[in-house]
Amino acid sequence: QVQLVESGGGLVQAGGSLKLACVASGRTFSTYAMGWFRRAPGKEREFVSAITRSGNNVYYADSVKGRFTISRDNAKTTVYLQMNSLKPEDTAVYYCAAGRSLATAQEQYDYWGQGTQVTVSS
């Protein structure tokens, strides 16, 4: 069992930056690939980014490529999402998830956090 707790969300103006963190419980963090997803108001939850267990490979949705950076610190059992050049359309609840392999499909992830709200004002 893995418990995930996100933090770092908030209100920011367009063009600004935020860094999300997701801390995992347990000593098996390094055995999981980690992903970030988001759900905007009135929309389905969508993939944002993912990182392999070692951190050597990452993947991004086209909508955030070049603006967001995913990273992880296995010693701290934490995965991060650095978000730069934020746009109003990035407004959403952001969730981290743990799965057995790097994937974009939500079904491939076994554990989910409760989410953190990111609001970007224009």
Side-chain angles (χ1 to χ4, degrees):
Q1 188 77 11
V2 177
Q3 292 184 325
L4 304 173
V5 180
E6 302 96 335
S7 63
L11 174 63
V12 63
Q13 289 187 330
S17 298
L18 282 174
K19 186 173 185 177
L20 306 183
C22 172
V23 180
S25 65
R27 292 175 285 182
T28 60
F29 178 75
S30 62
T31 67
Y32 289 93
M34 298 298 296
W36 285 98
F37 292 77
R38 66 185 181 186
R39 177 183 282 133
K43 295 187 177 182
E44 298 291 319
R45 188 162 58 185
E46 64 177 4
F47 170 79
V48 174
S49 183
I51 188 167
T52 53
R53 288 171 286 182
S54 65
N56 288 340
N57 290 296
V58 298
Y59 191 73
Y60 298 98
D62 287 343
S63 58
V64 306
K65 200 172 295 182
R67 300 188 298 122
F68 290 12
T69 302
I70 189 171
S71 62
R72 67 189 295 163
D73 185 333
N74 285 344
K76 295 183 178 179
T77 67
T78 302
V79 61
Y80 304 97
L81 187 68
Q82 176 68 47
M83 306 185 296
N84 298 329
S85 303
L86 283 161
K87 305 174 182 180
E89 50 264 43
D90 294 317
T91 294
V93 177
Y94 283 72
Y95 302 88
C96 69
R100 288 299 178 181
S101 61
L102 188 149
T104 62
Q106 300 179 49
E107 296 74 20
Q108 298 299 315
Y109 291 86
D110 302 314
Y111 302 102
W112 292 82
Q114 293 299 307
T116 185
Q117 176 70 47
V118 171
T119 303
V120 184
S121 63
S122 58

